[in-house]
Amino acid sequence: MALMVVKFDLKKRVKLAQTVWFMYWFAVLAGILVLSLGLFFKIELRKRSELMDNNESHFLPNVLIIMGLVACAINAFGGKVCYDSLDPTKFVKWKPMLKTFLVLCVVFNALLFATALLCFVMRIPLQFTLAEGLKNGMKYYKDTDTPGRCYMKRTLDLMQMEFRCCGNDNYRDWFEIQWVSNRYLDFSAKEVKDRIGSNVDGQYLMDGVPFSCCNPTSPRPCIQQQMTNNSAHYSYDHHTEELNVWKRGCSDALLSYYGGIMNTIGALVLLVTMLEVAVTVGLQYVHSSLSTLANPEDMESESEGYLLEKTVKETFTDIMTKMKAMGKGAKVEEGAAEPVATVS
């Protein structure tokens, strides 16, 4: 017994085909939206690619771009089929391939739904990518003369000012690395010698941060050097003083920014998935209503449209039976392909 049967006459079939045709072209625009979101997200990631630990972060935008392109192609084809369904002489050429196309649409809808879920799930690996990438990037902050790293200082400074953050987890991360280039250090000075000599790795470490960590809204002039030395500043206690540098870590700030983009994209892709499911259901009703005409030669005769030709249980059983048959057929072919041993 067919599932969700609806009776159609010519007028209803025409109205259905026109409605689904309109929805398909709206779905084409939705496909362009998914493609645009993928391109936008890819561009945003590329802006700070130096701060990413690997290229895996571009997996999601690449998937969005591919899904957007496929959506445009599938929906354009579906729209053409709905348009031609109004003319029996044109529709007859599409009829043999419609079942295959509908199966393809179902698979695509499942993949689109999985893509939407990826937008929410990929936040976790992105968190580790940003944390590790920022940690490595901060080590190269001082290497303004090294090819391939000369822009790292500029990238980190602009990021800290734009996202109002400092360091990886917090501003103290800058205390643990040498962020001033050796070319700007006076190695004859006692302070420089003492700092380098007291460090196992021979690095010039200090309790200071780059200027880009300063909060311009603070009423006090920025204290970015000797931040833990109370005697170096008048009326200052770093334990109780409200520091005038950004306290938020940049990995958290970037994760919040990219996470917000991913959540928005995920929600939009879910809406597009719902639209894709709707047009697939609509096309199935167009196809089934034209396949069950009481009199195929009379387009004005009544027909029945349905979502599934059988019940859900029967349909699932048929699919499993076909899959098992395909599996057995593959095994038989493999057995026939094995060479037969001959006795000499």
Side-chain angles (χ1 to χ4, degrees):
M1 182 181 176
L3 182 67
M4 298 180 67
V5 179
V6 179
K7 291 188 178 296
F8 289 94
D9 55 21
L10 178 61
K11 186 177 179 180
K12 286 184 178 179
R13 283 195 300 272
V14 170
K15 189 174 182 180
L16 173 66
Q18 290 174 339
T19 302
V20 178
W21 174 83
F22 176 78
M23 290 175 64
Y24 258 120
W25 288 110
F26 190 70
V28 170
L29 296 178
I32 295 173
L33 173 64
V34 174
L35 171 64
S36 302
L37 291 172
L39 289 172
F40 166 74
F41 192 31
K42 193 173 184 70
I43 291 170
E44 285 299 304
L45 288 174
R46 279 195 176 276
K47 285 181 181 178
R48 301 168 190 89
S49 58
E50 301 96 331
L51 305 177
M52 303 290 178
D53 184 43
N54 52 52
N55 293 323
E56 293 176 5
S57 55
H58 291 274
F59 173 73
L60 180 58
N62 290 339
V63 170
L64 288 168
I65 291 170
I66 293 170
M67 295 302 287
L69 289 171
V70 175
C72 290
I74 286 179
N75 292 321
F77 181 80
K80 173 63 175 173
V81 171
C82 285
Y83 181 81
D84 286 349
S85 67
L86 299 173
D87 186 346
T89 58
K90 292 182 179 179
F91 182 71
V92 70
K93 64 181 177 182
W94 304 119
K95 196 172 180 180
M97 64 180 75
L98 264 185
K99 279 192 176 182
T100 304
F101 177 70
L102 284 166
V103 171
L104 178 65
C105 289
V106 172
V107 173
F108 173 74
N109 292 342
L111 291 174
L112 196 60
F113 179 70
T115 302
L117 293 182
L118 270 179
C119 293
F120 301 107
V121 175
M122 288 296 287
R123 181 188 178 98
I124 299 172
L126 181 63
Q127 179 179 0
F128 293 105
T129 296
L130 286 171
E132 195 63 29
L134 280 168
K135 183 179 178 181
N136 293 331
M138 288 172 64
K139 294 177 182 177
Y140 304 136
Y141 181 89
K142 68 181 186 302
D143 298 338
T144 52
D145 298 325
T146 306
R149 299 175 185 170
C150 54
Y151 295 106
M152 187 57 73
K153 178 183 180 301
R154 178 177 178 273
T155 300
L156 284 167
D157 283 335
L158 290 175
M159 177 199 65
Q160 292 189 142
M161 289 187 289
E162 180 182 353
F163 290 95
R164 299 184 175 187
C165 59
C166 185
N168 191 351
D169 295 320
N170 54 61
Y171 69 92
R172 288 184 173 274
D173 292 330
W174 289 108
F175 298 178
E176 300 172 4
I177 62 171
Q178 179 181 337
W179 54 272
V180 177
S181 176
N182 287 338
R183 67 181 296 187
Y184 303 116
L185 296 176
D186 181 5
F187 286 93
S188 62
K190 184 178 183 301
E191 180 194 355
V192 175
K193 289 180 178 178
D194 291 342
R195 286 185 180 275
I196 293 176
S198 62
N199 184 259
V200 177
D201 299 324
Q203 292 186 332
Y204 180 75
L205 304 183
M206 57 181 177
D207 54 345
V209 297
F211 77 97
S212 53
C213 283
C214 294
N215 182 355
T217 61
S218 175
R220 181 168 186 162
C222 186
I223 296 177
Q224 64 178 108
Q225 304 290 337
Q226 301 186 62
M227 295 176 66
T228 58
N229 185 0
N230 295 333
S231 62
H233 312 283
Y234 176 72
S235 183
Y236 175 76
D237 183 356
H238 76 278
H239 290 296
T240 59
E241 184 80 7
E242 181 66 28
L243 294 175
N244 48 10
V245 297
W246 303 117
K247 293 183 178 180
R248 188 183 190 185
C250 290
S251 60
D252 179 60
L254 284 174
L255 183 64
S256 177
Y257 173 70
Y258 286 124
I261 293 176
M262 291 163 69
N263 289 340
T264 303
I265 292 175
L268 289 172
V269 174
L270 278 177
L271 292 175
V272 173
T273 304
M274 293 170 64
L275 176 61
E276 292 290 346
V277 171
V279 294
T280 302
V281 170
L283 182 60
Q284 167 60 12
Y285 273 105
V286 170
H287 173 233
S288 57
S289 64
L290 289 172
S291 301
T292 59
L293 284 169
N295 183 6
E297 296 180 359
D298 181 13
M299 290 300 295
E300 295 188 5
S301 60
E302 292 188 351
S303 63
E304 290 184 346
Y306 48 79
L307 183 60
L308 292 174
E309 193 173 357
K310 300 178 182 178
T311 63
V312 176
K313 184 178 180 180
E314 290 172 339
T315 302
F316 179 75
T317 303
D318 288 348
I319 292 172
M320 293 301 295
T321 302
K322 289 179 181 178
M323 289 178 66
K324 287 179 181 179
M326 289 173 63
K328 288 180 180 178
K331 287 181 180 179
V332 171
E333 288 180 2
E334 287 177 6
E338 290 180 359
V340 179
T342 57
V343 182
S344 56

